[in-house]
């Protein structure tokens, strides 16, 4: 993870966060209960919005992103522990968490399929999996544009892929989707689901 990217991330995301994303995050995280695992916590943008969790364990592979997140722990109403780890190799026991949260992270995970299998493993059966992600669009022209731009976009945005089909990945691995809301056409999706 590039130190400069981590430093400037919140600044460049601020307009989207103020307009729409903050409300989406608050709604999503109001469903996060019990022992919560957040994948790819980044700069800790979600930390102030947890209200109902017993504890949040946040995993983040980048030490630079972790450094940016520490100040936001003080804004949280629930205990938060940040652990340096990748989503593809989670250092937790099977069925340890009641809720898994991932927001704008599956686009950057090198092996999203392995991350989903790990997410299922550490989530209790019947536990909640809550996501807010940007995904490949259904419109053929826009989807082909995403495919074309992804190699360049990955270089300038630290590995971010514009063409991920995250909902299909969830369904392929037996995660039961109970609610989907789409934003900005279908570029961004809010997903509530259950680990089976």
């Amino acid at each position: 993870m590039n130190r400069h990217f981590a430093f400037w991330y919140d600044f460049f995301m601020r307009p989207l966060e103020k307009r729409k994303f903050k409300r989406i995050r608050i709604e999503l995280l109001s469903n996060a209960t019990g022992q919560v695992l957040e994948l790819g916590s980044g700069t800790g943008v979600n930390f102030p919005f947890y209200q109902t969790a017993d504890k949040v364990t946040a995993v983040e592979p980048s030490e630079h992103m972790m450094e940016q997140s520490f100040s936001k722990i003080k804004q949280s109403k629930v205990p938060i522990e940040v652990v340096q780890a990748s989503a593809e190799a989670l250092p937790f026991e099977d069925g340890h968490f009641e809720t898994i949260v991932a927001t704008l992270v599956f686009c950057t995970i090198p092996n999203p399929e392995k991350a989903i299998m790990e997410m299922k493993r550490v989530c209790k059966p019947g536990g909640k999996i809550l996501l807010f992600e940007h995904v490949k669009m259904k419109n053929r022209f826009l989807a082909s544009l995403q495919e074309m731009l992804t190699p360049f976009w990955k270089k300038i945005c630290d590995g971010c892929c514009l063409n991920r089909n995250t909902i299909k990945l969830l369904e392929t691995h037996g995660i039961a989707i109970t609610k989907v809301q789409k934003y900005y056409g279908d570029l961004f999706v809010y997903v509530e689901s259950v680990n089976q």
Side-chain angles (χ1 to χ4, degrees):
M1 171 65 71
N2 183 296
R3 180 182 290 274
H4 296 294
F5 183 82
F7 181 80
W8 288 104
Y9 181 83
D10 285 342
F11 175 81
F12 285 114
M13 288 296 290
R14 193 167 292 135
L16 278 172
E17 292 291 346
K18 280 187 174 179
R19 279 191 209 122
K20 183 80 82 172
F21 287 6
K22 181 179 178 181
R23 291 195 303 275
I24 295 168
R25 291 179 191 278
I26 289 170
E27 181 184 351
L28 188 77
L29 299 175
S30 70
N31 296 299
T33 55
Q35 294 291 322
V36 176
L37 174 67
E38 180 174 341
L39 299 180
S41 54
T43 63
V45 66
N46 287 330
F47 293 174
F49 305 134
Y50 285 105
Q51 303 288 330
T52 53
D54 295 335
K55 179 187 174 183
V56 176
T57 303
V59 297
E60 171 55 49
S62 164
E63 63 180 313
H64 305 307
M65 283 290 198
M66 287 175 68
E67 287 167 11
Q68 296 295 320
S69 75
F70 293 144
S71 63
K72 296 187 187 76
I73 292 176
K74 298 170 189 172
Q75 300 171 39
S76 176
K77 294 183 179 179
V78 304
I80 293 181
E81 177 188 13
V82 182
V83 176
Q84 188 170 18
S86 77
E88 298 101 325
L90 296 170
F92 309 110
E93 296 176 1
D94 295 2
H96 184 73
F97 298 96
E98 279 89 14
T99 307
I100 311 285
V101 170
T103 62
L104 305 182
V105 66
F106 268 93
C107 57
T108 59
I109 295 172
N111 189 334
E113 191 159 353
K114 192 170 182 185
I116 284 178
M117 290 190 293
E118 276 290 271
M119 182 173 72
K120 275 184 65 71
R121 180 184 67 77
V122 301
C123 186
K124 291 181 185 294
K128 291 177 276 192
I129 297 175
L130 309 172
L131 289 85
F132 173 54
E133 298 287 342
H134 71 77
V135 294
K136 187 173 181 178
M137 301 177 81
K138 288 203 163 75
N139 178 284
R140 284 186 183 179
F141 172 74
L142 294 175
S144 64
L145 197 61
Q146 286 176 299
E147 291 286 353
M148 186 177 69
L149 289 173
T150 289
F152 171 73
W153 191 258
K154 278 176 73 173
K155 289 179 184 174
I156 63 167
C157 292
D158 220 62
C160 176
C161 298
L162 297 168
N163 58 351
R164 293 272 167 90
N165 193 337
T166 306
I167 289 180
K168 187 176 179 181
L169 269 177
L170 293 173
E171 292 172 335
T172 300
H173 287 88
I175 294 170
I177 295 172
T178 57
K179 181 178 180 180
V180 176
Q181 291 175 199
K182 297 178 180 179
Y183 298 92
Y184 298 100
D186 59 350
L187 176 59
F188 292 91
V189 292
Y190 166 115
V191 179
E192 294 178 17
S193 57
V194 177
N195 189 30
Q196 295 183 315

